[in-house]
Amino acid sequence: MKTSAMGPSGRMAARRAAKGSVTRGAARARLTARGVIYLLIGVLALRIAFGDSKQQADRGGAVAEIAHEPFGAVLLWALGIGLAGMALWQLSEAVFGSVGPDGGKAKQRLPALVRCVFYAFVAYSVLLFAAGAGDGGGSSDEQSRDVTAKVLGMPAGQWIVGIAAACVIGTGVWIGIRAVRRDFHEDLKLGEMSPRARRLVDITGVGGGVACGLVFAAAGAFALRAAIRYRPDQAKGLDDTLRSFAGTPFGPWLLALVAVGVALFGLFSFALARWSRL
């Protein structure tokens, strides 16, 4: 009579393998969905740079753009499910900890929980839009102004907005520095990549990271100015921040350059989904 060859330790290993497979799948879905959004935002910003100012260059605009494409409804459902995968992956890291020696510490779990809430909100708005209701998350500019106005009305509101803005600026600088130093190599399976793939990943990682860092820093600077002047209407979301580059002495060419960088970050996200150490 045959008995099961898999004992308790074998079943435990099988469960860990299954959990790891699900986690890796959710992570790849997260990175792919992020890549789609950033790629579309970059394309929309390029259109604005060359005179097409009808569409919002932010998450809401990207969602609306997908809806207008052939099989747009299917793509929106796929994007929403991918974003939901992001939220679940971040939730698992917040509850069980992430990979690495410090993965179980609060400094890793708390940011994961914040990202979980963010991705859950985005997934909900995208899926609601796919179902025929909602607006895909609305205008990032209106949301930024509304949030800034509410916080400025609180006790010590100027300090709260100012500190948050300084953190956003610091995050942008940090993203740019990490991109220039190619710190993302630590997260990649470089041994599985061809020399050509490495060059392409470096181009997208450096160019995309610097562009996104610049956008973050600019958005933080606008929020800081709004706090100092007590003017919530001067806070800018992603769309207005990108458009502001066209108002510099470099004109629309700077916006076009930043837009290409944002699109490159989308492509870099696809590369992470393929070669990241998950």
Side-chain angles (χ1 to χ4, degrees), residues 15-124:
R15 283 197 293 268
R16 283 198 298 266
K19 178 185 173 183
S21 179
V22 171
T23 301
R24 287 191 294 272
R28 289 193 171 91
R30 173 186 73 88
L31 292 166
T32 301
R34 188 182 75 176
V36 170
I37 290 176
Y38 274 91
L39 183 59
L40 285 176
I41 290 174
V43 171
L44 293 172
L46 269 176
R47 290 183 182 178
I48 293 171
F50 292 108
D52 183 2
S53 59
K54 297 178 182 179
Q55 190 62 276
Q56 293 272 339
D58 55 13
R59 186 180 67 249
V63 170
E65 184 71 11
I66 293 173
H68 293 149
E69 297 299 321
F71 306 104
V74 175
L75 293 173
L76 280 179
W77 281 108
L79 178 62
I81 293 171
L83 290 166
M86 292 182 175
L88 289 174
W89 181 51
Q90 294 301 320
L91 179 61
S92 71
E93 291 201 338
V95 175
F96 302 109
S98 59
V99 178
D102 297 329
K105 295 184 178 179
K107 66 178 181 179
Q108 297 293 340
R109 292 184 183 227
L110 185 58
L113 181 60
V114 173
R115 289 193 294 268
C116 171
V117 174
F118 171 75
Y119 286 128
F121 169 76
V122 177
Y124 173 76

Side-chain angles (χ1 to χ4, degrees), residues 207-269:
V210 170
C212 287
L214 180 60
V215 173
F216 265 82
F222 286 124
L224 184 60
R225 185 179 67 176
I228 293 173
R229 298 182 178 180
Y230 205 82
R231 292 281 303 277
D233 59 298
Q234 293 186 351
K236 296 180 184 291
L238 179 57
D239 179 67
D240 272 353
T241 299
L242 285 168
R243 291 174 189 268
S244 67
F245 289 111
T248 65
F250 300 100
W253 293 106
L254 179 58
L255 173 57
L257 186 62
V258 173
V260 170
V262 172
L264 286 176
F265 188 78
L267 297 176
F268 176 66
S269 296

Side-chain angles (χ1 to χ4, degrees), residues 150-177:
K150 289 178 182 179
V151 177
L152 284 176
M154 297 167 56
Q158 277 184 288
W159 283 100
I160 295 174
V161 174
I163 292 172
C167 290
V168 174
I169 294 172
T171 299
V173 173
W174 178 74
I175 290 172
I177 291 174

Side-chain angles (χ1 to χ4, degrees), residues 128-141:
L128 199 65
F129 189 82
D135 55 3
S139 167
S140 61
D141 303 317

